[in-house]
Amino acid sequence: MRIDIISAVPELLSSPFNHSILKRAHQRELLNINVIDLREYGIGQHKQIDDYVYGGGSGMVMMMEPLVNCLKQLQQNIKYDEVIYLTPDGTKLNQKLSNSLSLKSNLLLICGHYKGIDQRFRDQYVSLEISIGDYVLSGGELAAAVLVDSIGRLIPGVLNDETSALTDSFQDNLLAPPVYTRPENFEGLKVPKILLSGHEAKIDEWRYEQSLERTQRLRPDLLQEE
Ligand code: ADE
């Protein structure tokens, strides 16, 4: 999979993809992430990428021209399955959406700044708008990093244990069961006996019951979803 990210502050994205699971995905050539500096497509001597809001009001808006020039240059070589704009008024990200995006080949993410991007760009070129939650970040970069992380770990071959992404919370709309590791007894706090029994079917059953109980208690809304 290839993910290109257009950003006005590419430095914000220099670290999140160079560690742990996403680093392995890159090393295994399963995920290729390219961050493109929008400033390189800025206008004039000052490489301008934003301007005042028509109609008045505070804040700046990211301009059409740099975004369109950048997109067109990228599209000369790549056909994107989705052009995604990260924005607080987009569709709220959930596991189902990450699952479906992990099956795509080429994604383009666009990070907004200031008051956001010119509406005409959204109307003309963006195929999907995604929010990572009902709060406002100062730019789309951290949201893009969250999205890439949630997609990247689902690409087959990225996680060592092939089944482990499928047992995460939210797969099947259930929260994950509790997990424990050594020691068996920490200052009187004991690991549930069933997990030490070696009885695989009983352990599976216990984990399912725990998942269901946790979901009912903590996130009953998930059980209403299709
Ligand atoms: N940009 C600013 N806030 C955001 C959010 N909550 N989700 C996605 N992109 C954003």
Side-chain angles (χ1 to χ4, degrees), residues 86-88 130-133 135-137 139-140 143:
L86 282 311
T87 174
I130 295 181
S131 161
I132 64 159
Y135 41 81
V136 180
L137 302 167

Side-chain angles (χ1 to χ4, degrees), residues 29-87:
E29 295 182 10
L30 297 168
L31 179 59
N32 177 8
I33 300 166
N34 302 292
V35 181
I36 300 113
D37 185 354
L38 183 64
R39 190 68 64 178
E40 286 173 16
Y41 296 84
I43 300 166
Q45 207 189 342
H46 299 293
K47 299 279 176 196
Q48 186 181 358
I49 55 170
D50 59 339
D51 212 331
Y52 295 104
V53 197
Y54 269 126
S58 64
M60 305 292 273
V61 177
M62 286 166 68
M63 302 162 82
M64 285 294 276
E65 201 176 327
L67 285 167
V68 172
N69 290 344
C70 181
L71 175 67
K72 292 216 161 137
Q73 168 122 5
L74 291 166
Q75 281 176 329
Q76 280 179 8
N77 300 315
I78 309 142
K79 187 172 174 343
Y80 292 107
D81 299 300
E82 300 284 359
V83 175
I84 300 171
Y85 174 48
L86 282 311
T87 174

Side-chain angles (χ1 to χ4, degrees), residues 58-146:
S58 64
M60 305 292 273
V61 177
M62 286 166 68
M63 302 162 82
M64 285 294 276
E65 201 176 327
L67 285 167
V68 172
N69 290 344
C70 181
L71 175 67
K72 292 216 161 137
Q73 168 122 5
L74 291 166
Q75 281 176 329
Q76 280 179 8
N77 300 315
I78 309 142
K79 187 172 174 343
Y80 292 107
D81 299 300
E82 300 284 359
V83 175
I84 300 171
Y85 174 48
L86 282 311
T87 174
D89 54 8
T91 302
K92 192 128 29 109
L93 182 63
N94 60 18
Q95 191 64 45
K96 204 166 145 199
L97 184 49
S98 292
N99 289 349
S100 81
L101 291 173
S102 74
L103 303 173
K104 308 284 185 192
S105 304
N106 296 310
L107 299 177
L108 177 64
L109 312 188
I110 297 165
C111 306
H113 260 268
Y114 322 110
K115 269 196 125 43
I117 64 178
D118 192 303
Q119 182 61 41
R120 291 168 292 183
F121 188 86
R122 296 171 70 164
D123 296 340
Q124 290 293 314
Y125 299 104
V126 170
S127 61
L128 185 59
E129 300 192 327
I130 295 181
S131 161
I132 64 159
D134 288 340
Y135 41 81
V136 180
L137 302 167
S138 34
E141 282 77 9
L142 296 181
V146 167

